[in-house]
Amino acid sequence: MGQGEAKVTAPAFDATVQLFAERQPGQPVDPQCPVRDVLDRIGDKWSTLILGTLATGPHRFSAVQRAIPDISKRMLTQTFRDLERDGLIARTVFPTKPPSVEYRLTPLGVTILEPLASLVRWANQSHAAIRDARQAFDKVV
Amino acid sequence: MGQGEAKVTAPAFDATVQLFAERQPGQPVDPQCPVRDVLDRIGDKWSTLILGTLATGPHRFSAVQRAIPDISKRMLTQTFRDLERDGLIARTVFPTKPPSVEYRLTPLGVTILEPLASLVRWANQSHAAIRDARQAFDKVV
DNA sequence: GACACAAGGTAATTAAGTGAGACCACAGAC
DNA sequence: GTCTGTGGTCTCACTTAATTACCTTGTGTC
């Protein structure tokens, strides 16, 4: 019934809002939208850390593990697989004495660094404000 | 020991890489970094959807529920609380006949729209490539 | 009086994500 | 001949996240 609740609160970010609202304000959201898909990927615990590590250049399995010490081999393997499946990283096996494996960003993988960096920038700028908001909220409740 | 694996693969995204690598390539990552904090927040299933909905203007509880039909009341309440705690949205109660509650983005909440939109843009541009990569991967494995 | 709506709360249940550690094959060093 | 390094896989246990279902308080409707 009613859907007159929506009016844009500021003109400055209209373009941004547009991106969220291909749909009209009152309309339901698409459950299969690519955005959800992407957020599921980068929303997990390790993907962004791995992408950030590979951003500095190709790494071998154990090199990434050294760079991110608190990741288990299991999660490292699994996250590598998921990223490879999505075409963000590539896996190359070298038939050396003990076979070594190198992971590197694909061209597609490189393109996600920019939006990711945009988020990292926001996080660094805003974490103080978030911390303060949390303290204020927790004090009241 | 060895940390000579890292060389930048392209010059174009050096600035991006910098953002990931306040740390040097071989060094471990900070487990308490604000980035992890932010990703935990926007990485959950509903936060971005709610932020996207509120981006079009203030909404009441049930208006958001209508906009995102497959969210349960419980998750809606909880996600609202979390976002409020982080200072991204504000909650206002109106003492009407049945009390109504309005949620709106705070100024801080507005600032996250841009990096989020950057990700949304990437998702829309890349989801075809990702879908193809998945199909190719799944065919082989 | 029975019903629904507003905006939730609570509890129990289920699903998903994460971690610890054992195991494997192979090579080379000691 | 045992030990270490590589890049995994496998199982079990644990911790979160998310869903379902039912309860509340107060007003208005039929």
Side-chain angles (χ1 to χ4, degrees):
Chain A
M1 293 80 176
Q3 81 226 52
E5 302 95 344
K7 28 203 147 81
V8 174
T9 55
F13 58 102
D14 270 16
T16 302
V17 169
Q18 284 295 343
L19 279 162
F20 285 99
E22 314 107 18
R23 59 189 169 85
Q24 287 311 302
Q27 301 299 62
V29 88
D30 177 12
Q32 278 295 13
C33 70
V35 181
R36 179 83 64 95
D37 229 26
V38 170
L39 288 173
D40 282 352
R41 170 106 332 284
I42 72 150
D44 71 11
K45 199 169 177 182
W46 303 111
S47 290
T48 51
L49 252 26
I50 291 178
L51 289 173
T53 300
L54 295 187
T56 63
H59 280 65
R60 288 174 50 189
F61 186 92
S62 44
V64 174
Q65 201 171 17
R66 275 191 296 272
I68 312 173
D70 50 345
I71 192 173
S72 65
K73 276 196 295 188
R74 185 191 185 283
M75 288 314 296
L76 189 51
T77 302
Q78 186 179 302
T79 310
F80 271 146
R81 285 284 178 279
D82 290 343
L83 291 172
E84 189 194 357
R85 187 172 106 97
D86 283 2
L88 297 178
I89 66 175
R91 179 174 180 272
T92 317
V93 183
F94 295 103
T96 50
K97 321 92 186 252
S100 64
V101 181
E102 189 188 77
Y103 293 91
R104 70 177 67 224
L105 294 178
T106 62
L108 179 63
V110 171
T111 64
I112 204 182
L113 293 181
E114 193 177 299
L116 228 44
S118 160
L119 216 50
V120 171
R121 221 174 292 127
W122 185 88
N124 284 326
Q125 281 166 11
S126 309
H127 82 278
I130 292 175
R131 185 173 31 75
D132 291 352
R134 281 184 191 170
Q135 283 182 2
F137 187 89
D138 293 346
K139 206 179 300 178
V140 175
V141 180
Chain B
M1 289 83 175
Q3 81 224 50
E5 301 94 345
K7 29 203 149 81
V8 175
T9 54
F13 57 101
D14 272 16
T16 302
V17 169
Q18 283 296 343
L19 280 162
F20 285 99
E22 312 109 17
R23 62 189 169 82
Q24 288 310 303
Q27 301 299 62
V29 88
D30 177 11
Q32 277 295 14
C33 70
V35 181
R36 178 82 63 98
D37 230 25
V38 170
L39 288 173
D40 283 352
R41 168 105 332 283
I42 71 151
D44 69 14
K45 198 170 178 182
W46 304 110
S47 291
T48 51
L49 252 28
I50 292 179
L51 288 173
T53 300
L54 296 186
T56 64
H59 280 65
R60 287 173 50 189
F61 185 92
S62 42
V64 175
Q65 202 172 16
R66 276 191 296 274
I68 312 172
D70 50 344
I71 190 173
S72 66
K73 279 193 295 189
R74 190 192 184 284
M75 287 314 295
L76 188 53
T77 303
Q78 186 179 303
T79 311
F80 271 147
R81 286 281 178 280
D82 289 343
L83 290 172
E84 189 193 357
R85 188 171 105 96
D86 283 1
L88 297 179
I89 66 175
R91 181 175 179 270
T92 317
V93 183
F94 294 103
T96 50
K97 321 93 183 254
S100 64
V101 182
E102 191 188 76
Y103 294 90
R104 70 176 68 225
L105 294 177
T106 61
L108 179 63
V110 171
T111 63
I112 203 183
L113 292 182
E114 193 177 300
L116 228 43
S118 159
L119 218 49
V120 171
R121 218 174 295 129
W122 185 89
N124 284 325
Q125 281 167 11
S126 310
H127 82 277
I130 291 176
R131 184 175 30 75
D132 292 351
R134 280 184 193 170
Q135 283 182 2
F137 187 88
D138 292 346
K139 206 179 301 179
V140 176
V141 180

